[in-house]
Amino acid sequence: MAQYRYLLFDLIARFFFQQLPTISIQPYLTLPIKKNTLIHYPIIKSVFSFFNLLAILLILPFFIKNIYLTQSFQFSLLWIVTVLSLIAGNNFLNFSLKKYFSRQALISLLFLSFVGLLIYLDIAKIISISEYFSAAIFYLVNTTTFIFVPALFAVISYYWAYTILKNNAYIEDSQKLTIKKSNGFSFLNNYGEIGQLIGVELKMILRNKRPRSLLYISGLFVLYGFMFYKNENLDNYIILSLSGLLLPAMFSTNYGQFLFSWESSFFDSYLTNKISHFNYIKSKHIFFSISSSIGFLLVLPYALISSKIAFINAAFLLYNIGISSIIMMFFCTFNTSYIDLGKSQFMNYQGTGITQFLVILPIIGIPLLIYFLHKILGILPYYYYSIAVIGLIGIALNKHMLEMVESRFMKRRYKMAVGFRKK
């Protein structure tokens, strides 16, 4: 029954982490090699990708234990061919999905929401898609007439990928894309130096592989709400607090841990240009606040389960903007590790140091400390109100707290620059 969920997860993972083949073949387009041969090469090469190897390693134990040892040889052979065909279909389908979805954040979000909805309907047993899927697999394996359907899915996916790559594998494509992207976020110039700095940060995120991967991964983690927001957890202060603290701020927290390190390759330019250091710090706080607010809106549909979730998340949104963001920015002035923006986020620990672990302690520890104080004093029903009030106090004292971070940044900036130069 888990095959259906695994295939969806496999498709999402490929969508976010597999590299577009059009990039890898571009250097060969000027060589005397037939274009058709070049197009086939990256698609066939992708068969040996990490994701396919992982799928085989995960499926093989299940196949041996539950299929091969309990079913006939014919059934086992057809079952494994069917499942591998679906995996191969996912692999080839990913080429087409990336072409259509990866350049448009809204469509990617809708795609992600649709997949999340399918998983939710299945987990909540509103529609038992897993059972229907398993029944369909067994029907295909037992019916010789339709056994070619999974293989046909793989073949059609391959042909679709081939057609799309053939129609788009031109060097000129990348040049057009660069020009188009360079005009983005020009409206932020109307908000002065802070708006321009936010625009530079947004371009840096969307144009580079690692921060962009982090953005996609954080969007994926929003689905974790289905695990936490269950009826048995709706009176659990700890679970609801951690969910309210981390789930809406998943991107801002993960991104914020590497603050300043993201700009390690051009950090010197910030020090040499006539940029107000206070505006530089403030732009990051505004960016953190906006991304946390967007995260709050993304998880707002969970309020359909219980309106209490919206209230708790709103309280922690204020706390994140007023307190957590300041703590994170202060700790991040200790970041001195270079980050290569062009590398993937997946299994990449470059730039990770003791700071990333230490900053988590106060961010999670302070709300838990406030919780236990309320519990000891017997005023637990007022806990979330206290979180919101503390957040509002932090927002009211925002200017003074940012000046404190700026002061720390001024003392550390040259040590940070020296560290960022060591690649």
Side-chain angles (χ1 to χ4, degrees):
M1 292 175 64
Q3 300 159 13
Y4 153 75
R5 295 175 198 168
Y6 174 77
L7 288 171
L8 283 182
F9 176 80
D10 177 71
L11 190 60
I12 293 174
R14 291 174 188 277
F15 178 75
F16 288 128
F17 299 117
Q18 267 193 320
Q19 187 180 5
L20 274 173
T22 49
I23 295 174
S24 63
I25 69 170
Q26 279 183 347
Y28 305 101
L29 289 176
T30 55
L31 299 178
I33 303 174
K34 288 185 178 179
K35 187 176 176 181
N36 289 346
T37 305
L38 285 173
I39 300 300
H40 283 296
Y41 173 71
I43 302 177
I44 295 174
K45 185 181 177 183
S46 70
V47 172
F48 304 98
S49 73
F50 165 79
F51 293 93
N52 292 330
L53 178 63
L54 178 65
I56 292 173
L57 291 176
L58 291 175
I59 290 172
L60 205 57
F62 173 83
F63 167 71
I64 294 173
K65 181 180 179 182
N66 297 300
I67 306 295
Y68 182 72
L69 297 179
T70 59
Q71 305 292 334
S72 66
F73 175 77
Q74 181 182 351
F75 183 91
S76 301
L77 179 63
L78 294 177
W79 189 93
I80 194 66
V81 170
T82 299
V83 173
L84 291 180
S85 297
L86 293 175
I87 294 292
N90 262 5
N91 181 69
F92 301 137
L93 184 62
N94 178 49
F95 285 73
S96 309
L97 293 179
K98 278 204 168 191
K99 173 60 184 174
Y100 284 112
F101 293 165
S102 62
R103 295 178 185 177
Q104 302 186 48
L106 179 60
I107 296 179
S108 299
L109 187 61
L110 291 174
F111 169 67
L112 187 65
S113 302
F114 176 70
V115 173
L117 178 63
L118 290 179
I119 296 174
Y120 173 73
L121 291 174
D122 189 49
I123 293 176
K125 298 188 183 304
I126 297 174
I127 302 176
S128 297
I129 302 176
S130 290
E131 292 183 6
Y132 291 128
F133 183 81
S134 294
I137 291 292
F138 276 84
Y139 179 77
L140 290 174
V141 172
N142 284 310
T143 309
T144 310
T145 310
F146 297 110
I147 190 58
F148 64 88
V149 171
L152 186 62
F153 167 64
V155 171
I156 291 175
S157 300
Y158 183 97
Y159 179 75
W160 192 16
Y162 171 80
T163 305
I164 286 176
L165 292 183
K166 185 178 179 181
N167 293 334
N168 293 277
Y170 293 96
I171 297 176
E172 291 81 1
D173 283 353
S174 62
Q175 294 171 343
K176 290 177 182 176
L177 178 65
T178 303
I179 295 170
K180 184 180 178 182
K181 281 188 173 181
S182 67
N183 295 325
F185 308 113
S186 57
F187 69 96
L188 289 171
N189 295 333
N190 300 325
Y191 299 94
E193 191 174 65
I194 292 177
Q196 293 173 11
L197 288 168
I198 294 175
V200 170
E201 190 126 24
L202 287 170
K203 290 176 186 175
M204 188 268 293
I205 293 172
L206 296 177
R207 291 179 177 179
N208 293 283
K209 191 172 184 179
R210 184 165 174 182
R212 191 172 62 237
S213 299
L214 179 63
L215 178 65
Y216 291 147
I217 294 171
S218 301
L220 191 63
F221 274 101
V222 170
L223 300 176
Y224 267 65
F226 291 119
M227 295 175 59
F228 298 127
Y229 295 132
K230 297 178 179 178
N231 289 331
E232 59 267 29
N233 294 332
L234 293 181
D235 293 322
N236 190 317
Y237 278 86
I238 300 294
I239 291 178
L240 292 181
S241 296
L242 291 177
S243 302
L245 179 68
L246 299 176
L247 207 58
M250 187 59 70
F251 171 72
S252 53
T253 303
N254 281 298
Y255 182 80
Q257 290 181 65
F258 299 98
L259 218 57
F260 307 119
S261 290
W262 294 114
E263 296 148 349
S264 54
S265 59
F266 51 94
F267 185 74
D268 285 343
S269 64
Y270 282 116
L271 301 183
T272 54
N273 287 328
K274 292 181 179 179
I275 297 174
S276 164
H277 291 113
F278 180 79
N279 284 345
Y280 177 60
I281 298 295
K282 189 174 182 179
S283 70
K284 295 194 175 302
H285 182 260
I286 292 176
F287 178 78
F288 185 97
S289 303
I290 293 174
S291 57
S292 296
S293 300
I294 293 174
F296 170 77
L297 294 175
L298 286 177
V299 301
L300 194 58
Y302 286 119
L304 295 174
I305 300 173
S306 171
S307 57
K308 183 196 294 186
I309 295 173
F311 169 71
I312 295 171
N313 290 353
F316 277 102
L317 173 64
L318 296 174
Y319 180 84
N320 278 330
I321 294 175
I323 304 297
S324 292
S325 58
I326 302 296
I327 294 174
M328 186 170 296
M329 292 171 69
F330 183 86
F331 270 82
C332 286
T333 58
F334 291 93
N335 284 343
T336 56
S337 298
Y338 173 82
I339 286 182
D340 185 348
L341 298 174
K343 292 185 176 178
S344 173
Q345 171 71 14
F346 188 60
M347 301 295 287
N348 187 351
Y349 301 104
Q350 187 188 43
T352 304
I354 190 67
T355 304
Q356 282 68 43
F357 295 100
L358 289 178
V359 73
I360 294 297
L361 296 178
I363 288 178
I364 295 180
I366 293 176
L368 290 178
L369 181 63
I370 297 171
Y371 162 75
F372 285 114
L373 285 175
H374 280 70
K375 189 175 182 180
I376 292 171
L377 295 174
I379 53 173
L380 207 52
Y382 299 99
Y383 166 59
Y384 298 119
Y385 293 100
S386 298
I387 290 291
V389 170
I390 292 171
L392 286 173
I393 293 173
I395 293 173
L397 299 175
N398 178 260
K399 186 173 183 296
H400 301 289
M401 298 175 82
L402 288 179
E403 287 175 347
M404 181 183 67
V405 176
E406 181 198 6
S407 175
R408 190 66 197 169
F409 174 79
M410 294 295 285
K411 292 178 182 176
R412 292 278 308 165
R413 65 186 190 280
Y414 293 120
K415 290 183 179 178
M416 294 163 68
V418 170
F420 292 155
R421 292 177 194 136
K422 297 177 182 175
K423 299 182 180 178

